[in-house]
Amino acid sequence: MIKKLLILAGLFIVFQFGYSLSCIASYYRVVDGVLRYTGAGQNRVVKNVDIETFEDLDWAFGKDKNRVYYLGQNIKNIDAKTFEVIHEYKPIPEFIKSPVPTCGPPNIEKFKDKNGTYELKDIQNGKLQLEE
């Protein structure tokens, strides 16, 4: 009986660890000359990107000389030349403080450009649109 409980506990730990890695294993990467975003349930080719000037800002945001990207999609009407991060934070992983594990939010919370100041929730609630 104890052996079965240890096996079950071991399996739980392995699956929990795997899930935790899937939350933080979001990233942009170049594969065969194409920039891809993988993470947050997404696996997509990043369109219209200038790979030479692209920089990864956190697990969700990236930018090149022309555009700012969120989860691999261009954020419409954001000026990349004047884009600036105003506030970042390091969240406590949700699987530590929640009985039901979920991925934590990205580190960039607030940002601005020549057109205004924005928050992450502006993307999530549709105030800022993403290109399809």
Side-chain angles (χ1 to χ4, degrees), residues 34-49:
V34 175
L35 183 69
R36 297 191 68 85
Y37 174 78
T38 303
Q42 309 290 322
N43 185 6
R44 67 179 63 188
V45 171
V46 181
K47 297 178 182 174
N48 302 315
V49 65

Side-chain angles (χ1 to χ4, degrees), residues 4-114:
K4 288 181 182 179
L5 287 175
L6 288 174
I7 290 171
L8 285 174
L11 286 172
F12 175 76
I13 290 169
V14 167
F15 287 121
Q16 179 65 37
F17 182 70
Y19 184 84
S20 300
L21 286 178
S22 71
C23 290
I24 61 172
S26 301
Y27 53 89
Y28 290 91
R29 72 172 187 266
V30 177
V31 178
D32 297 326
V34 175
L35 183 69
R36 297 191 68 85
Y37 174 78
T38 303
Q42 309 290 322
N43 185 6
R44 67 179 63 188
V45 171
V46 181
K47 297 178 182 174
N48 302 315
V49 65
D50 182 322
I51 293 175
E52 304 257 335
T53 62
F54 183 82
E55 57 184 297
D56 198 349
L57 301 176
D58 73 0
W59 72 265
F61 284 89
K63 74 180 261 304
D64 66 13
K65 69 179 184 178
N66 301 312
R67 296 172 186 81
V68 178
Y69 304 90
Y70 177 72
L71 302 180
Q73 291 179 277
N74 177 39
I75 306 172
K76 292 182 182 179
N77 302 319
I78 294 292
D79 182 65
K81 290 172 182 58
T82 59
F83 176 84
E84 181 182 336
V85 175
I86 297 173
H87 184 262
E88 323 183 282
Y89 60 94
K90 305 290 184 199
I92 297 172
E94 292 290 324
F95 63 88
I96 291 175
K97 62 183 181 179
S98 172
V100 179
T102 58
C103 292
N107 293 340
I108 295 174
E109 183 178 42
K110 294 181 183 178
F111 52 93
K112 69 179 183 176
D113 72 353
K114 69 179 183 180

